Amino acid sequence: MVQRTENRIGKFYDKVDLSFPIGNIRCYALKFSFEHLGRSFPSHSHSNNSWEIHYIPYGKGTITLDHEIHRVGPGSFFINGPHMEHSQTPDPKDPMTEYCIYLKFDPKSRPLIQKQNPDFLNHFLGTDRYAGADKQNLHPLMQSLFRELENKDVGYHSLLASLLTQLIVLSVRNLDLPGSKEPAAESSVADRSYLIIEESFLYEYQDLTLEKLSSRLGLSHRQTERLLQKHYGKTFLQKKFEAKMSAALPLLEDLSNSITDISVLLGYSSVEHFSAAFRQYYGMSAREWRRQCL
């Protein structure tokens, strides 16, 4: 779609009828334009909950945001939010070409609740103006958006929604705001506790004590016992016994290990003590298990 109206040359889409949810609110894409600016745009602003994202792939010029002048050129990027006065003036010798996407966020049906939104959206909605260099390579994304708008292939509305979400995320990354980095996902305290427990019994079955385990967990002996009972249904001694018996089987599979050697490796004071424990757990002696299973 190429339009020539009042010296305007480019592609304009203002009847896309595209809306999609992000977090707690709905985003409406009201207008897309890719335009060679043959004239200046005087200072103007947009309504509540409205943002424009601009990207300059070619040419030069100046923009004003809240009466502050910024020089722009290839790779420049700027945002204007609700009621933000802005204007654009192309360089007469090398007029700029501009992508512009007009978005409106509608919290009417559902109040804006920041904690229900992804961090990137809260950062974007908290930005009323920005101008600077694009550091996120927006040009291919803009080209993809306009290719979808032009071709209207099957599923293009869904793909546009995905591309616009990417555009908002990358716009926020361009801002490089303090605190705009999302914290790395961390496991919960409970998850870390389970890992400590399981690795302790897995690797230290020979000499693990309740005192050592409690210290690692930062719990008292009683709290540790309660944790083991609640999540494993066993006492500390039962878990340690189970760990030793589990470790015995691969040791028995290695015929170079004698039964006496194995009893020492498992931390038993005598081969008789180990043999009695093995029979109690498996219902047969260690020698019988070795003959039967190998």
Side-chain angles (χ1 to χ4, degrees), residues 276-294:
F278 192 92
R279 182 180 292 278
Q280 176 188 339
Y281 193 83
Y282 289 107
M284 66 179 73
S285 71
R287 287 186 174 80
E288 288 172 333
W289 187 92
R290 175 173 271 178
R291 285 197 300 269
Q292 178 175 307
C293 299
L294 297 181

Side-chain angles (χ1 to χ4, degrees), residues 42-230:
S43 185
H44 61 291
S45 63
H46 301 293
S47 64
N48 289 338
N49 305 317
S50 300
W51 277 259
E52 282 184 333
I53 300 173
H54 304 256
Y55 177 78
I56 311 298
Y58 316 112
K60 302 174 185 176
T62 60
I63 63 166
T64 64
L65 289 172
D66 196 23
H67 309 294
E68 183 178 342
I69 298 174
H70 302 267
R71 296 189 178 276
V72 295
S76 293
F77 154 83
F78 64 100
I79 295 173
N80 53 270
H83 308 294
M84 177 56 56
E85 293 284 340
H86 60 288
S87 64
Q88 293 134 287
T89 303
D91 184 319
K93 295 181 180 179
D94 187 12
M96 58 186 174
T97 299
E98 176 194 76
Y99 289 96
C100 177
I101 296 176
Y102 187 121
L103 303 174
K104 192 173 185 71
F105 295 86
D106 182 10
K108 292 177 183 177
S109 59
R110 302 175 64 190
L112 174 61
I113 303 175
Q114 288 201 349
K115 66 182 180 180
Q116 294 183 8
N117 291 326
D119 285 348
F120 75 84
L121 181 59
N122 290 330
H123 284 302
F124 184 83
L125 297 179
T127 302
D128 60 355
R129 64 189 180 277
Y130 177 84
D134 168 38
K135 303 181 285 291
Q136 299 295 327
N137 195 23
L138 291 179
H139 195 189
L141 180 56
M142 291 292 191
Q143 291 174 315
S144 295
L145 276 164
F146 279 78
R147 187 162 52 247
E148 290 300 318
L149 287 163
E150 184 170 0
N151 295 336
K152 296 181 174 62
D153 290 330
V154 61
Y156 84 102
H157 271 92
S158 296
L159 191 51
L160 282 174
S162 174
L163 292 170
L164 286 171
T165 301
Q166 290 180 55
L167 177 61
I168 295 170
V169 170
L170 294 180
S171 295
V172 169
R173 290 182 179 181
N174 264 319
L175 305 183
D176 198 22
L177 299 171
S180 63
K181 293 184 181 296
E182 294 187 6
E186 294 185 2
S187 60
S188 68
V189 172
D191 288 340
R192 291 196 297 274
S193 295
Y194 304 147
L195 183 61
I196 290 170
I197 290 169
E198 289 161 15
E199 291 199 342
S200 294
F201 282 111
L202 180 62
Y203 297 113
E204 299 176 54
Y205 51 80
Q206 184 181 43
D207 55 7
L208 182 66
T209 65
L210 180 59
E211 289 76 12
K212 283 184 182 179
L213 183 60
S214 298
S215 176
R216 289 173 190 168
L217 294 171
L219 300 175
S220 68
H221 295 177
R222 180 175 293 183
Q223 289 171 323
T224 300
E225 287 283 19
R226 285 176 179 170
L227 185 63
L228 292 172
Q229 283 284 1
K230 180 178 179 180

